[in-house]
Amino acid sequence: MPIRRAADIRSSEITSKENYLNRREFIQNGAIAGGSLLAAAPAFGALVPTERREKLVDVGTSDFSTSEAINAYEDITTYNNYYEFGTQKDDPYRNAEDFEPHPWTIEVTGHAEKTGTFHLEDFVKPYALEERIYRMRCVEAWSMVIPWVGIPLADVIKHFQPTSNAKFVRFETLEDRRRMPGQRSRVLRWPYREGLTIAEATNPLTILAVGLYGEVLPNQNGAPIRLVVPWKYGFKGIKGIVKMSFVEKQPKTSWELAAPSEYGFFANVNPEVDHPRWSQARERRIGAGLFTPKQPTLMFNGYGEHVAHLYAGLDLRRNF
Ligand SMILES: Nc1nc2c(c(=O)[nH]1)N[C@H]1C(S)=C(S)[C@@H](COP(=O)(O)O)O[C@H]1N2
Ligand SMILES: [Mo]
């Protein structure tokens, strides 16, 4: 796999990122003027980003976006979890480059008025694209701020008209050992699968992302379409989705199947409930620099005002 050196990167690629930041007026943001973003080293010093992707047009903004300093494109695209392409953080960057996410179809099944198999283009066409700058928190106690581009999952669900039997939405990633070499290992049960309650899936914060940094989603981040649920640990954000099912029973997720005592169905970011092997009280912001101390983790990753009501009456220690 050819790794491009800094000298190989067209200056236009670098300029486009700076323009992007200017356009977003992030330069005026104190956190960035302080150097935490522009001076940030990529998560992997030796690696440089792959080619920038096609620009997405007609992308609206959102009130749900955080004003925190966003992570560098290099951080977001070289420090990933995507076990279909390997278990090391730079494996997806290295191994997903040749993955071809087109053409792509999504199957919608289960308890809904409308079901069927759709080309990705037809699946997303009815909805307006929005940029959502979200804080993301991984269960491994690191975090990033990512400018996603996506569509509200609530709109998609409304379109398919689930019946009253639909209590959960279940998602599946592509299963293809030839195109996803990590699936030759039994590290997880394939295909990767995830689920949300209908209330979680229709919460206005939940999106299906098709891009980041104003461009088409890179393969390592889940091209062509992945889930983003910002109040939950990153593993809920299933990548490379090929199937969405409206189901009655709480679906088993890949991480629950792998280690039920460590990863529960809800996976809400909760600094008060430790992972069995480590604390969840603090997090390391990727790209912040070696000497930056860990920062406190916020309940529901700071999104409690929008989602705490979904869990009223639920014991969050038992339902982790
Ligand atoms: N199909 C699939 N989706 C996945 C994963 C995976 O291994 N396979 N890893 C999850 C985990 S643990 C995290 S933290 C996020 C990382 O998303 P990012 O690489 O875009 O930051 O993807 C999630 N989605
Ligand atoms: Mo994760």
Side-chain angles (χ1 to χ4, degrees):
M1 193 100 10
I3 294 175
R4 300 168 75 218
R5 291 164 200 288
D8 300 336
I9 300 181
R10 286 178 283 121
S11 63
S12 61
E13 289 176 40
I14 294 160
T15 312
S16 73
K17 185 171 70 191
E18 283 167 0
N19 283 345
Y20 183 87
L21 295 169
N22 270 319
R23 181 165 60 76
R24 302 290 326 175
E25 297 177 291
F26 275 109
I27 300 300
Q28 276 96 313
N29 179 321
I32 289 176
S36 69
L37 178 71
L38 295 180
F44 290 90
L47 300 180
V48 291
T50 50
E51 301 246 12
R52 300 299 294 263
R53 271 79 181 172
E54 197 185 327
K55 277 239 171 321
L56 292 164
V57 293
D58 294 330
V59 178
T61 54
S62 167
D63 291 342
F64 293 118
S65 288
T66 173
S67 58
E68 275 175 82
I70 56 179
N71 272 90
Y73 189 79
E74 290 84 342
D75 295 335
I76 299 171
T77 56
T78 61
Y79 194 92
N80 300 101
N81 273 333
Y82 199 172
Y83 278 20
E84 283 85 340
F85 294 99
T87 55
Q88 300 299 306
K89 292 291 177 278
D90 57 342
D91 280 343
Y93 163 76
R94 294 173 185 280
N95 299 332
E97 188 177 357
D98 295 331
F99 181 73
E100 182 48 79
H102 300 286
W104 193 269
T105 55
I106 298 184
E107 187 189 356
V108 180
T109 64
H111 300 292
E113 298 299 337
K114 286 186 214 164
T115 54
T117 301
F118 307 89
H119 287 291
L120 176 73
E121 291 72 17
D122 299 326
F123 183 86
V124 297
K125 200 163 46 192
Y127 320 102
L129 293 180
E130 266 180 44
E131 180 173 72
R132 297 282 186 100
I133 305 171
Y134 281 157
R135 268 187 305 279
M136 305 298 297
R137 170 63 156 76
C138 177
V139 72
E140 295 164 296
W142 49 266
S143 63
M144 289 199 216
V145 177
I146 302 186
W148 300 109
V149 177
I151 58 178
L153 181 59
D155 294 350
V156 177
I157 288 179
K158 202 165 151 195
H159 174 89
F160 289 103
Q161 298 171 36
T163 67
S164 58
N165 288 329
K167 306 281 194 265
F168 297 87
V169 190
R170 180 183 186 279
F171 297 91
E172 266 180 41
T173 296
L174 177 70
E175 184 170 18
D176 187 335
R177 288 157 61 107
R178 197 176 49 80
R179 294 163 71 197
M180 296 180 144
Q183 290 179 342
R184 290 170 207 158
S185 141
R186 296 169 62 141
V187 61
L188 285 177
R189 197 92 59 91
W190 312 111
Y192 193 97
R193 61 201 84 170
E194 255 306 337
L196 296 172
T197 66
I198 285 279
E200 292 173 332
T202 55
N203 184 276
L205 287 176
T206 309
I207 59 167
L208 289 173
V210 296
L212 64 81
Y213 257 98
E215 300 170 357
V216 164
L217 203 60
N219 292 336
Q220 57 269 45
N221 295 91
I225 189 164
R226 58 89 55 86
L227 184 66
V228 176
V229 197
W231 70 95
K232 294 183 179 264
Y233 293 117
F235 65 84
K236 275 284 179 189
I238 181 172
K239 299 177 173 182
I241 296 170
V242 292
K243 191 170 177 185
M244 181 172 120
S245 314
F246 294 99
V247 298
E248 197 162 356
K249 290 210 186 85
Q250 181 175 303
K252 281 276 180 231
T253 73
S254 283
W255 287 103
E256 267 185 293
L257 290 166
S261 62
E262 301 193 9
Y263 309 104
F265 175 81
F266 284 97
N268 289 317
V269 174
N270 189 341
E272 289 155 25
V273 176
D274 289 346
H275 181 278
R277 291 183 281 136
W278 59 80
S279 163
Q280 292 292 6
R282 304 177 77 73
E283 65 196 50
R284 180 172 60 94
R285 182 59 56 83
I286 298 296
L290 281 178
F291 304 106
T292 308
K294 285 189 170 189
Q295 62 192 64
T297 285
L298 303 173
M299 186 67 191
F300 298 117
N301 201 22
Y303 294 100
E305 132 193 29
H306 304 288
V307 300
H309 68 275
L310 298 173
Y311 311 102
L314 200 67
D315 179 347
L316 296 180
R317 286 190 173 271
R318 289 169 58 90
N319 297 279
F320 58 89

